[in-house]
């Protein structure tokens, strides 16, 4: 497919308020609820890029360093960093805001991978991503390395075929 789309065309912003039904017994946002919101915002970004039905293929490690409190406003921003054949990597940044206290913190950053599929669930080719800003270029350039790492961990790629991983682990891959 020769079609290309700018990274910014997939930019998606979702805003939620943490309500009692979203929290654990410490009145903080449940991790599972946050992951659900991340999945939704990233799926919308992937749909915008591909104009296709998309399915979640993987979510890279998500750590919970600080709690998000009841009443906070959570903003999730997602954008496709790079597209391959049928799969695309989506970067998600989450921030939590205590509006009465005028305090806003970035709480999470994560990468999800989505695959565009046809009506029968078969992977289908998607447009390339054209990065424009320095941040988009940096994310685009790192995406191949992250793809190889997740495919090796998923046992979908042989470590010796993951040429880009040499730069992380300084490995001697001779193939
Ligand atoms: C994702 C899915 C469509 C891949 O189908 P498949 O038959 O394995 O297809 P392929 O091997 O041709 O892989 C298709 C693409 O998915 C990518 N992919 C597959 N598994 C992956 C994983 N664990 N992590 C990242 N990418 C993955 C492949 O790298 C490939 O990318 P490319 O086309 O850009 O090169 C299929 O596994 C599926 O439908 N999974 C369930 C999706 C779902 O229900 N998600 C909700 C979770 S509850």
């Amino acid at each position: 497919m020769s079609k290309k789309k700018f990274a910014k065309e997939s930019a998606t912003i979702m805003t939620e308020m943490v309500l009692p039904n979203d929290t654990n017994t410490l009145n903080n946002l449940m991790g599972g609820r946050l992951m659900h919101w991340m999945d939704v915002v990233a799926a919308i970004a992937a749909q915008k890029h591909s104009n296709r039905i998309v399915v979640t293929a993987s979510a890279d490690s998500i750590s919970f360093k600080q709690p998000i409190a009841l009443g906070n406003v959570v903003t999730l921003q997602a954008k496709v960093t790079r597209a391959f054949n049928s799969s695309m990597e989506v970067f998600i940044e989450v921030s939590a805001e205590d509006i009465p206290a005028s305090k806003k913190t970035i709480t999470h950053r994560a990468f999800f991978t989505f695959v565009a599929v046809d009506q029968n669930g078969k992977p289908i080719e998607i447009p390339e991503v054209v990065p424009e800003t320095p941040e988009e270029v940096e994310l685009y350039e790192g995406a191949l390395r992250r793809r190889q790492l997740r495919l090796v961990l998923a046992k979908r790629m042989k470590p010796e075929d993951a040429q880009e991983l040499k730069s992380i682990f300084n490995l001697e891959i001779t193939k």
Side-chain angles (χ1 to χ4, degrees):
M1 179 179 282
S2 57
K3 198 170 173 221
K4 296 180 181 189
K5 286 176 82 170
F6 292 113
K8 67 180 173 213
E9 292 180 74
S10 65
T12 306
I13 300 178
M14 192 169 116
T15 309
E16 298 279 347
M17 178 181 269
V18 181
L19 296 173
N21 206 30
D22 303 320
T23 61
N24 60 22
T25 48
L26 292 172
N27 282 337
N28 292 319
L29 177 63
M30 295 268 289
R33 180 77 80 210
L34 178 63
M35 287 189 278
H36 170 71
W37 291 342
M38 291 168 97
D39 197 25
V40 172
V41 74
I44 295 169
Q47 279 196 2
K48 281 193 195 180
H49 178 73
S50 62
N51 291 107
R52 294 283 182 184
I53 300 166
V54 298
V55 294
T56 316
S58 71
D60 293 2
S61 60
I62 304 169
S63 50
F64 299 92
K65 277 186 275 183
Q66 59 187 97
I68 299 177
L70 175 67
N72 275 191
V73 171
V74 178
T75 304
L76 301 103
Q77 300 192 64
K79 205 189 272 186
V80 175
T81 63
R82 186 160 177 168
F84 297 95
N85 303 301
S86 64
S87 70
M88 64 210 111
E89 182 191 74
V90 182
F91 176 58
I92 307 150
E93 189 172 85
V94 181
S95 58
E97 188 171 7
D98 180 342
I99 295 178
S102 300
K103 217 174 126 194
K104 188 170 181 175
T105 326
I106 294 175
T107 56
H108 300 82
R109 290 191 178 93
F111 294 98
F112 280 39
T113 301
F114 285 80
V115 176
V117 294
D118 64 16
Q119 293 294 340
N120 301 314
K122 198 170 155 298
I124 192 163
E125 215 177 326
I126 53 175
E128 284 175 39
V129 169
V130 180
E132 293 178 290
T133 67
E135 191 201 18
E136 288 169 1
V137 170
E138 193 183 336
L139 287 166
Y140 179 93
E141 286 175 351
L144 184 57
R145 195 170 61 235
R146 290 187 294 275
R147 168 184 161 94
Q148 293 190 351
L149 184 56
R150 65 177 76 92
L151 292 180
V152 168
L153 292 174
K155 298 199 180 335
R156 284 179 160 265
M157 179 180 264
K158 290 186 194 150
E160 59 268 29
D161 291 335
Q163 292 294 330
E164 291 291 318
L165 298 187
K166 280 197 293 187
S167 58
I168 305 181
F169 298 116
N170 202 17
L171 294 175
E172 281 301 319
I173 297 174
T174 47
K175 194 166 175 195

